[in-house]
Amino acid sequence: MASNKVLIVDRHNGMRTKIRSMLPGGKFEIVEAIDGEEALLFVKQEQQSLRLILFNFELPEVSGWEVLKKLQTDEAFQKIPVVVFAKQLDIITDRVPKPYFDYMSAIAQPFERKDLQKAVKAAVTKAKTPRKPLPLEPLDPSATVQPSPPPSAPETAPVEEAEPFVSPPPPTPEETAPVEEAEPLVSPPPAPEETAPVAESFTPPPPEEPAAEPVAPAEETLSPANPFGGTTTDPFATPPSTSDPFAASSTDATSDPFASAVTDPFAVPAEETTSAPEPEAAPIPSPTAEVEEVIAPPPPEEPVVQPPVVEEPPEPVAEESFPAEAEREVENYSVTPYEYLDCIHVLADRPARTACCLTISPDGATIVTGSEEDPIRRWNFSTGEIEVQFDLYSQETICLALTPDGQTIITGSEKTNVKFWDFASGDLLRPLNDYSSHVNAIAVSPDGQTLITGALKTNIKLWNIATGELISPLNDHSLGTTAIALSPDGRTLVSGFEHTNIKLWDVDSGELFGPLNIHSSHVTALTISPDGWLIISGHQDGTIQIADWSTGNTLRSIKAHLKAVRAVAMSPDGQTLVSASEGEIKYWGAIY
């Protein structure tokens, strides 16, 4: 897991997702919270690894002011850069005393990527500022509404408009032209009186030349804009050095997460602009001229047409591969909208608090939970109510699975053998055999004929469900399994471990394909989306990670629970994720 973490706090999942997309890639992990209470709990637990906090000032449970006051007045949290955002800056400035802004950044919604990264850089710089005592009481919003006198300043703005009215004829030709024409046509005597001073200040040439000379003041008005532009570039030039402490886990090179990566989003459009001229450079006649020289015998017109035809086919081939990937992603979103998953329901009563494993029935109507302390229970998926509770002999269950027909529950335990239970009645049907104890992970093949078990002290094993005979074990690299999941086609097994990365196995041959990625350790639970494209894992730190099966890239990381994730399961339609931890069961659904 990454030692550098960025915390995003907002009750709306869409806003958290937007901020995630604006942050540059780097050697850090993005975690999320939905309210102030959860944010403060996470800060207390992860203060050593936190490198940045971004939160909405309008938070439920614990207010944004209380969160900000805690972060800026507690010495343990003062060095963490903080960016606060709200729909309007007044919402923040009307409540937060002015001294606080010396140590944090504030930004108004909506904001763009460049605005957010600029605020992050400023927050990193301000976090290093020596601290002074801060007021502990918020401002009175009614008192801050009085700064209405400043409108007197905008009233003087028309004076500035009068100056450009005389000097820059290009922007307002319609206004200046009629003034000059009216003077010579209507009353010649007053016209020379007005133009005479102009001629004296400059030269005796015709009145048209002074109109060209006032352009000089227009240039002078542009010059002050240049220093303004310079000031805007300064924050981008200086922050790279200030961003060094941002990733404090390593040397100065740790500024890469934000200092170097910040330039990536700006470099991307540059590459896009450079890629656009390249096709324009292709039709330059110079290469065609060379082709004409080489193919001299045939008519010149034909070879000129042929080279573009030869050059064009490879370009569409490259472009066709991208739409294919895009279509695949669209299919993923339609099946499992992982970007929009948010907590939609919580079960926190006594039976739910003890659940250490769970699965969802093939029809999506029932959740089955197991516990070391309590018996197996069947829950109504929609209402969260207990429908059936098995007898006490079903205690000490630490893993379970359902057969594809939904008629049999298979359980594993560290103290007893693997057992088969009737789903409808809860009756114990039979054990697998006398050599199937110490199991902590279970999966069933799609055809319902093979059982796969994992254990901490033995290899992953394949069993014949009908006879209970051992088919074959996997190699020694499968020792110490903490969780397993089987692909929808039953050909690939995914296993999780405590100290090594998630691994992929060929079920038929037992060969190891390789690790999913290099940062998927401390796994406590696994499941695979119904479409087979997403691997969802629960971890000891309470996070749920969603990874792309084909690339191994982590698509999203959710701070789901305060304690270790005990189980994860996906509904058959791919729209709801259910997770269990000590003290609660949570439903995660798409919120658009």
Side-chain angles (χ1 to χ4, degrees):
M1 299 297 292
S3 58
N4 300 329
K5 297 182 179 181
V6 176
L7 175 61
I8 302 174
V9 189
D10 194 294
R11 59 181 173 179
H12 299 294
N13 179 63
M15 190 62 195
R16 299 198 304 271
T17 303
K18 179 180 179 181
I19 294 176
R20 290 174 64 92
S21 65
M22 291 183 178
L23 294 176
K27 298 178 180 179
F28 58 88
E29 176 189 356
I30 298 178
V31 293
E32 301 177 1
I34 60 176
D35 56 49
E37 181 179 2
E38 184 178 357
L40 288 178
L41 288 174
F42 184 83
V43 170
K44 291 178 182 179
Q45 295 177 355
E46 302 291 342
Q47 57 179 304
Q48 298 300 327
S49 60
L50 273 176
R51 298 292 175 263
L52 175 67
I53 300 175
L54 306 98
F55 70 89
N56 192 325
F57 193 71
E58 300 176 284
L59 289 176
E61 303 299 335
V62 178
S63 67
W65 158 250
E66 293 297 334
V67 173
L68 181 62
K69 181 176 70 172
K70 182 66 175 178
L71 295 176
Q72 298 299 333
T73 58
D74 193 320
E75 294 182 359
F77 312 139
Q78 288 178 348
K79 293 183 179 180
I80 304 175
V82 176
V83 177
V84 185
F85 56 90
K87 294 180 180 178
Q88 297 178 353
L89 278 180
D90 293 345
I91 297 176
I92 303 175
T93 56
D94 288 353
R95 293 286 292 169
V96 179
K98 187 175 180 180
Y100 278 77
F101 293 92
D102 295 336
Y103 311 110
M104 44 78 74
S105 292
I107 187 172
Q109 299 172 273
F111 45 78
E112 301 297 331
R113 180 195 299 265
K114 184 177 180 180
D115 300 327
L116 178 62
Q117 293 181 356
K118 184 177 178 181
V120 169
K121 291 180 180 180
V124 171
T125 303
K126 292 180 178 181
K128 300 189 304 180
T129 305
R131 298 282 169 161
K132 295 181 181 179
L134 294 173
L136 301 180
E137 296 297 330
L139 297 177
D140 184 4
S142 60
T144 58
V145 177
Q146 296 179 349
S148 53
S152 58
E155 292 177 359
T156 59
V159 178
E160 297 180 357
E161 296 178 358
E163 295 178 2
F165 175 80
V166 178
S167 56
T172 56
E174 297 178 357
E175 298 178 359
T176 57
V179 173
E180 294 179 358
E181 292 175 359
E183 293 173 354
L185 292 175
V186 179
S187 57
E193 292 178 1
E194 296 179 359
T195 57
V198 177
E200 292 174 2
S201 59
F202 296 98
T203 53
E208 296 179 356
E209 294 183 357
E213 290 180 354
V215 176
E219 295 176 356
E220 293 177 359
T221 56
L222 294 177
S223 61
N226 293 336
F228 179 78
T231 56
T232 57
T233 56
D234 291 340
F236 291 97
T238 54
S241 60
T242 60
S243 59
D244 292 341
F246 180 75
S249 62
S250 58
T251 60
D252 294 339
T254 55
S255 60
D256 294 338
F258 270 89
S260 61
V262 169
T263 59
D264 293 340
F266 300 101
V268 170
E271 292 175 0
E272 294 175 355
T273 54
T274 54
S275 61
E278 287 178 1
E280 295 177 0
I284 295 176
S286 58
T288 58
E290 296 177 0
V291 176
E292 291 176 5
E293 294 176 2
V294 176
I295 313 175
E301 297 180 357
E302 296 180 358
V304 171
V305 177
Q306 290 177 357
V309 175
V310 176
E311 293 176 359
E312 289 176 0
E315 294 179 355
V317 170
E319 293 175 358
E320 289 177 0
S321 63
F322 292 103
E325 293 180 1
E327 290 176 3
R328 187 183 69 188
E329 290 181 0
V330 171
E331 292 177 1
N332 291 344
Y333 293 139
S334 64
V335 176
T336 303
Y338 65 89
E339 283 191 332
Y340 304 100
L341 290 180
D342 205 343
C343 184
I344 57 176
H345 188 56
V346 179
L347 300 177
D349 55 358
R350 169 65 175 78
R353 289 198 297 266
T354 61
C356 62
C357 56
L358 62 84
T359 188
I360 301 175
S361 61
D363 60 4
T366 306
I367 296 177
V368 182
T369 62
S371 170
E372 293 183 283
E373 305 173 11
D374 295 333
I376 296 173
R377 295 186 174 97
R378 280 173 35 204
W379 308 66
N380 184 291
F381 182 88
S382 301
T383 64
E385 297 179 354
I386 298 175
E387 296 179 337
V388 177
Q389 178 171 300
F390 291 16
D391 59 38
L392 296 178
Y393 293 102
S394 64
Q395 291 178 340
E396 300 181 349
T397 300
I398 61 175
C399 59
L400 54 79
L402 269 169
T403 55
D405 59 6
Q407 300 300 314
T408 306
I409 301 173
I410 307 176
T411 62
S413 172
E414 291 186 352
K415 300 180 181 179
T416 61
N417 298 324
V418 172
K419 297 177 181 178
F420 293 78
W421 306 80
D422 184 85
F423 177 85
S425 65
D427 295 336
L428 175 63
L429 301 177
R430 62 181 175 90
L432 178 66
N433 57 37
D434 295 335
Y435 309 99
S436 58
S437 61
H438 305 289
V439 170
N440 61 359
I442 280 183
V444 181
S445 63
D447 59 8
Q449 298 181 7
T450 305
L451 176 68
I452 306 175
T453 61
L456 291 174
K457 299 180 180 180
T458 61
N459 301 343
I460 294 176
K461 297 177 180 179
L462 279 66
W463 308 83
N464 185 303
I465 290 181
T467 64
E469 296 179 354
L470 175 64
I471 299 174
S472 65
L474 298 186
N475 60 39
D476 291 340
H477 292 290
S478 63
L479 283 169
T481 304
T482 56
I484 59 175
L486 200 58
S487 63
D489 61 6
R491 300 174 59 184
T492 306
L493 178 70
V494 181
S495 62
F497 303 85
E498 182 177 0
H499 300 296
T500 61
N501 299 315
I502 293 175
K503 296 176 182 178
L504 281 65
W505 307 81
D506 186 311
V507 175
D508 295 333
S509 66
E511 294 181 358
L512 174 64
F513 286 138
L516 175 67
N517 52 43
I518 61 172
H519 50 271
S520 56
S521 60
H522 304 286
V523 175
T524 54
L526 276 173
T527 190
I528 299 174
S529 62
D531 62 348
W533 286 114
L534 303 178
I535 297 178
I536 303 168
S537 57
H539 297 260
Q540 289 181 352
D541 61 356
T543 61
I544 294 176
Q545 293 189 5
I546 303 175
D548 187 315
W549 176 293
S550 58
T551 65
N553 295 334
T554 301
L555 303 176
R556 189 178 176 197
S557 180
I558 306 172
K559 180 60 179 177
H561 302 277
L562 295 178
K563 298 183 180 181
V565 179
R566 291 178 168 181
V568 288
M570 180 67 73
S571 62
D573 61 2
Q575 300 301 305
T576 307
L577 177 70
V578 182
S579 63
S581 179
E582 182 180 348
E584 61 188 3
I585 295 175
K586 286 187 177 182
Y587 288 65
W588 304 84
I591 298 180
Y592 298 94

